[in-house]
């Protein structure tokens, strides 16, 4: 029965596999974002603040401010 269904709908099978893969990938990305998103945003904030401090220090050293 399954073989007959696959033979009759062979043109639809790749599309169905792609939809299933895409849905699973999206769910994985959502799970990762929920688990690590807040911590990553905090690390980005610390990194940007460090870059700003380095930039201000360099500008003060060169008397550009």
């Amino acid at each position: 029965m399954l073989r007959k269904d696959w033979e009759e709908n062979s043109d639809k099978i790749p599309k169905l596999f792609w939809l299933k893969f895409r849905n699973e990938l999206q769910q994985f990305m959502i799970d990762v974002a929920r688990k690590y998103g807040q911590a990553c945003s905090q690390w980005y904030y610390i990194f940007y603040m460090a870059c700003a401090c380095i930039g201000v220090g360099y500008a003060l050293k060169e008397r550009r401010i």
Side-chain angles (χ1 to χ4, degrees), residues 48-64:
Y48 292 138
M49 287 288 110
C51 288
C53 291
I54 291 169
V56 168
Y58 179 76
L60 287 174
K61 182 179 177 187
E62 297 294 321
R63 300 274 188 220
R64 294 186 179 171

Side-chain angles (χ1 to χ4, degrees), residues 12-53:
K12 296 178 185 176
I13 291 172
K15 183 179 178 181
L16 292 174
F17 276 121
W18 169 248
L19 289 174
K20 182 170 177 51
F21 173 74
R22 188 183 70 186
N23 289 339
E24 289 180 13
L25 184 61
Q26 285 176 345
Q27 187 60 43
F28 172 75
M29 294 303 291
I30 289 170
D31 291 343
V32 168
R34 284 184 183 151
K35 188 172 183 180
Y36 300 111
Q38 187 176 10
C40 287
S41 66
Q42 290 172 356
W43 281 109
Y44 282 129
Y45 178 78
I46 291 168
F47 174 73
Y48 292 138
M49 287 288 110
C51 288
C53 291

